[in-house]
Amino acid sequence: MDSKNSVQKDFIREIINKDLKTDKYDGRVHTRFPPEPNGSLHIGHAKSICLNFGIAQEYGGKCNLRFDDTNPAKEEKEYVKSIIEDVKWLGFDWEGRLFFASDYFNQMYDYAVQLTKAGKAFVDDLNAKEISEKRGTLTKPGINSPYRDRSAEENLDLLERMKAGEFADGEKVLRAKIDMAHPNLNMRDPVVYRVLHASHHNTGDKWCIYPMYDWAHGLEDSIERITHSLCTLEFENHRPLYDWFLIQIGVYRPQQIEFARLNLTFTVMSKRMLLELVEGKYVHGWDDPRLPTISGMRRRGYSPASIRNFCSRIGIAKVNSIVDFEFLEHCVRDDLNKTAPRFMGVLHPLKVVIENYPEGKVEEFEAVNNPEDSKAGTRKIPFSKELYIEREDFMEDPPKKFYRLTPGREVRFRYSYLVTCKEAIKKNGEVVELICNIDPETRGGYAPDGRKVKSTIHWVSAAYAIDADVRLYDRLFTVEDPAGQKDADFKDFLNPDSLQILKSCKVETSIKDLKPLDRFQFERLGYFCIDSDTTKDKIVINRTVTLRDTWAKLQKQQMNK
RNA sequence: AGCCCCGUAGUGUAGUGGUCAACAUAAGAGACUCUGGAUCUCUAGUCAUCAGUUCGAAUCUGAUCGGGGCUGCCA
């Protein structure tokens, strides 16, 4: 994939280069991707996955897949499965190093005992509300808990009894003893263990106390001998705690480095909001193609390569930024243009009868499967008297710069003939059928006299076309930053037209040989893929993204005039 | 308000004291084309501001302004 002397040089790789030079970690590079199994992965996670696994590949290092499953109240086995599938689909390999934070619960507890024995932790009887009240504020220091000065022996006894299940949820916590006046709130005697009588997806009912993130995460990294622990910006203020714990216990200490999470226009990226959309049925599940989830994007037709490429092209930095959704679309088009086989399909069919073409005659024309890939070969497509073309490709009274079919005008029907429209048949004012003539001399689409036509349009033979449902997707929200709207619910900005279902579209016969998730291009329309709802009797197609459409842009400009 | 982080074309990144500040994308103009696709040209920046150091500053220093994060027994 990427070479070792990669030109990429973001600030993280710079740090790694320096660490390699100074031999800080004996020349090792070992990262990890640590999702919490409490939701589906999204494109923001993909950024982290590409960063962590990408760095490991570039430096000849390793990257672990580790589930940070320290909170049984929110986590589910289902998510573990889907996350594994997503990382694999994106094209990364953890080489068997699949770990769980819960694998280390015993060791984490032993370390907590060590910390307590050293007088660096205490058991607090205060409840959550009282702890919060005594924490102080951004400007005012906190107040010590009245239980802060218990003896190490008493704390140890209490901790053991917490573990043994003698206390109810919330009755007691283990807290680190740091500094209630610390300007960094995270250092004001943070909670290390809480009592939680909940069944864990991995450890079952073995535990009734569970470690907090700040305590657990550094230990997980340390145990796995991670060199560079990459996380998002909001953990910046946690780094002093991360370091503090590991220093107190006296174990191997990785370097935590924070980078900015990914934001995309016209969508939301928070797990909470995504969950709300899924559970509130605003979308059809985690893999709804309108969602920025990996599973949604997969179903929508995004290729793993396009997502990887996007992640590498947006770069890594510490500034909060919001990437244009259009850039992601550019990356899919870029990849699919090179890889997707072409077909012809008509989304809004308009019947065309070729007046001077014999009834019952069928000719086969050779079509190029992918002009960007000569190895993709060609295929035969049937031409006959009755055809369908795109309704948009005909206008009775066209504006300037409309090059397509219009009464009296000749255009090319791709790969077949030059065709002239003779008459538009109307019913109740609506054009329902076109009567056209071909020039028999232009067989194959070339005029012997060298005359040019302004446009080439796609078509399918009425007799050979098959029907399909096509699902068109638009942006999920109507505003660039739905999550950032003041005094408003992000759901108020849901786009009511984000999904449009087209019935009885007419597509090339060969589409029926495609399997779910197969990606392809309908010429002149966009990139599509077969949806998993496809059955023997019904083909369902998703539109991944339209082609760049300069005509649509022109129309928009004219409208604005 | 305390602490921490960050300000380079519309957007996302590069640039780490020395030619006209680079690349991508978007936008605009044009060329080419059997996809109005792809491809190819051209067009764009008060480097947040001010002051300093220096022969020379986007880069170093200071101040100011602006943006973000932090007060879960979430991660």
Side-chain angles (χ1 to χ4, degrees):
Chain A
M1 197 173 283
D2 299 288
S3 62
K4 211 167 180 175
N5 49 4
S6 165
V7 283
Q8 275 219 47
K9 224 181 81 186
D10 51 69
F11 78 99
I12 293 180
R13 279 172 248 248
E14 253 174 60
I15 293 172
I16 293 175
N17 290 340
K18 200 179 80 210
D19 290 346
L20 250 21
K21 208 169 279 174
T22 60
D23 225 24
K24 187 171 173 189
Y25 298 105
D26 314 316
R28 297 162 47 237
V29 174
H30 201 333
T31 56
R32 97 268 97 110
F33 173 63
E36 186 192 8
N38 70 342
S40 243
L41 257 31
H42 54 66
I43 181 78
H45 293 108
K47 177 181 180 181
S48 175
I49 292 168
C50 292
L51 212 217
N52 280 294
F53 282 95
I55 281 176
Q57 278 173 2
E58 286 165 43
Y59 288 92
K62 295 171 179 166
C63 180
N64 299 353
L65 174 58
R66 179 177 72 223
F67 287 93
D68 206 359
D69 54 351
T70 56
N71 187 357
K74 289 186 177 179
E75 295 151 5
E76 290 171 30
K77 227 174 184 122
E78 254 328 283
Y79 291 128
V80 172
K81 224 179 101 189
S82 85
I83 289 170
I84 289 175
E85 187 189 355
D86 289 349
V87 177
K88 209 182 279 176
W89 178 77
L90 276 173
F92 295 105
D93 182 6
W94 47 91
E95 300 165 313
R97 291 182 308 276
L98 171 65
F99 302 126
F100 292 85
S102 50
D103 295 341
Y104 315 133
F105 279 175
N106 280 324
Q107 197 164 355
M108 286 180 193
Y109 179 78
D110 290 345
Y111 283 135
V113 168
Q114 183 188 332
L115 196 73
T116 307
K117 277 183 179 163
K120 305 279 186 177
F122 67 100
V123 173
D124 200 344
D125 294 5
L126 256 30
N127 63 36
K129 193 164 168 261
E130 291 165 328
I131 289 181
S132 164
E133 283 163 2
K134 288 187 189 302
R135 186 156 22 232
T137 67
L138 265 12
T139 46
K140 272 188 268 160
I143 301 160
N144 283 172
S145 165
Y147 303 97
R148 198 176 198 261
D149 295 319
R150 293 213 251 231
S151 70
E153 292 71 33
E154 188 184 359
N155 282 323
L156 205 56
D157 174 60
L158 255 15
L159 176 59
E160 273 163 10
R161 287 162 57 194
M162 276 170 66
K163 182 186 176 223
E166 284 188 34
F167 305 112
D169 288 5
E171 202 178 329
K172 280 186 170 43
V173 288
L174 181 72
R175 287 229 259 168
K177 202 186 284 188
I178 308 179
D179 179 5
M180 287 308 286
H182 200 108
N184 181 343
L185 287 291
N186 296 125
M187 300 297 274
R188 320 243 257 229
D189 291 4
V191 173
V192 173
Y193 268 97
R194 76 277 215 189
V195 178
L196 221 52
H197 290 269
S199 193
H200 187 278
H201 77 101
N202 245 3
T203 59
D205 295 321
K206 180 178 174 193
W207 295 88
C208 61
I209 58 171
Y210 291 93
M212 297 291 291
Y213 169 86
D214 287 308
W215 171 250
H217 204 88
L219 291 175
E220 296 157 23
D221 287 342
S222 179
I223 290 165
E224 293 177 15
R225 303 201 58 85
I226 298 304
T227 56
H228 303 270
S229 177
L230 314 180
C231 63
T232 45
L233 250 29
E234 67 269 27
F235 292 105
E236 224 157 10
N237 291 335
H238 293 247
R239 181 159 23 97
L241 225 204
Y242 181 102
D243 291 338
W244 190 89
F245 280 136
L246 297 180
I247 289 167
Q248 296 310 315
I249 303 166
V251 290
Y252 167 83
R253 183 151 60 90
Q255 174 66 50
Q256 176 179 305
I257 305 170
E258 312 84 13
F259 63 94
R261 62 164 67 237
L262 169 67
N263 294 296
L264 261 189
T265 56
F266 297 104
T267 191
V268 292
M269 213 73 94
S270 100
K271 270 191 198 176
R272 193 207 93 219
M273 291 177 183
L274 257 14
L275 186 69
E276 208 175 324
L277 292 176
V278 172
E279 290 192 331
K281 310 257 192 247
Y282 295 94
V283 295
H284 310 310
W286 283 106
D287 67 343
D288 188 299
R290 291 167 293 181
L291 254 22
T293 52
I294 305 295
S295 53
M297 294 172 75
R298 173 168 61 231
R299 187 166 176 184
R300 171 102 169 228
Y302 280 76
S303 60
S306 67
I307 295 176
R308 274 188 257 122
N309 192 237
F310 169 76
C311 290
S312 114
R313 295 227 266 161
I314 54 174
I316 300 292
K318 298 191 76 159
V319 261
N320 292 298
S321 58
I322 181 156
V323 176
D324 284 337
F325 187 78
E326 290 83 355
F327 187 62
L328 177 60
E329 296 201 321
H330 162 80
C331 290
V332 218
R333 291 191 184 110
D334 194 40
D335 181 51
L336 264 24
N337 175 47
K338 288 177 266 182
T339 57
R342 319 275 132 129
F343 293 99
M344 291 205 280
V346 175
L347 264 31
H348 299 99
L350 175 61
K351 194 170 175 185
V352 169
V353 176
I354 308 293
E355 202 180 36
N356 62 344
Y357 199 81
E359 195 94 37
K361 178 175 176 179
V362 178
E363 281 180 281
E364 284 198 321
F365 289 103
E366 190 163 56
V368 174
N369 286 334
N370 185 348
E372 302 291 319
D373 176 9
S374 51
K375 292 193 295 288
T378 60
R379 69 188 185 287
K380 301 273 195 222
I381 45 174
F383 184 90
S384 54
K385 188 180 181 70
E386 290 192 2
L387 312 167
Y388 290 111
I389 65 164
E390 207 67 57
R391 190 163 278 279
E392 281 185 0
D393 286 340
F394 174 80
M395 271 184 117
E396 200 177 16
D397 188 18
K400 261 197 165 62
K401 296 202 175 169
F402 180 87
Y403 301 145
R404 282 110 96 147
L405 203 57
T406 188
R409 177 135 87 206
E410 183 176 57
V411 300
R412 178 185 294 107
F413 276 30
R414 183 138 227 225
Y415 297 124
S416 60
Y417 288 102
L418 298 192
V419 178
T420 306
C421 174
K422 207 180 143 200
E423 189 193 349
I425 297 175
K426 292 206 266 191
K427 205 191 243 171
N428 304 326
E430 194 198 356
V431 176
V432 291
E433 188 179 315
L434 262 29
I435 308 295
C436 299
N437 279 333
I438 58 160
D439 177 352
E441 298 296 308
T442 60
R443 198 173 182 281
Y446 296 94
D449 61 0
R451 71 179 187 273
K452 299 267 193 234
V453 289
K454 276 284 215 180
S455 77
T456 298
I457 66 173
H458 62 277
W459 53 273
V460 290
S461 157
Y464 291 89
I466 53 174
D467 280 22
D469 283 10
V470 177
R471 298 178 183 166
L472 306 180
Y473 303 102
D474 198 356
R475 39 185 61 145
L476 226 204
F477 293 92
T478 54
V479 293
E480 277 203 5
D481 181 16
Q485 303 291 317
K486 289 265 180 288
D487 307 315
D489 189 308
F490 74 102
K491 298 194 294 309
D492 294 345
F493 303 96
L494 245 8
N495 177 5
D497 303 315
S498 60
L499 169 62
Q500 194 190 343
I501 299 174
L502 266 28
K503 300 274 180 190
S504 337
C505 301
K506 304 291 182 184
V507 306
E508 242 184 76
T509 329
S510 27
I511 292 293
K512 73 172 186 321
D513 301 326
L514 267 28
K515 298 181 302 296
L517 295 187
D518 278 353
R519 296 178 282 265
F520 57 92
Q521 183 193 103
F522 273 141
E523 294 217 23
R524 303 210 309 130
L525 297 177
Y527 296 99
F528 295 77
C529 78
I530 304 294
D531 188 77
S532 43
D533 283 346
T534 295
T535 62
K536 267 206 171 68
D537 321 299
K538 191 173 81 175
I539 296 173
V540 181
I541 295 171
N542 293 321
R543 184 174 71 192
T544 311
V545 63
T546 60
L547 250 34
R548 257 186 72 201
D549 192 345
T550 37
W551 167 239
K553 213 159 36 181
L554 260 172
Q555 280 179 304
K556 218 181 207 173
Q557 276 175 12
Q558 283 172 353
M559 293 235 304
N560 290 340
K561 266 180 200 164

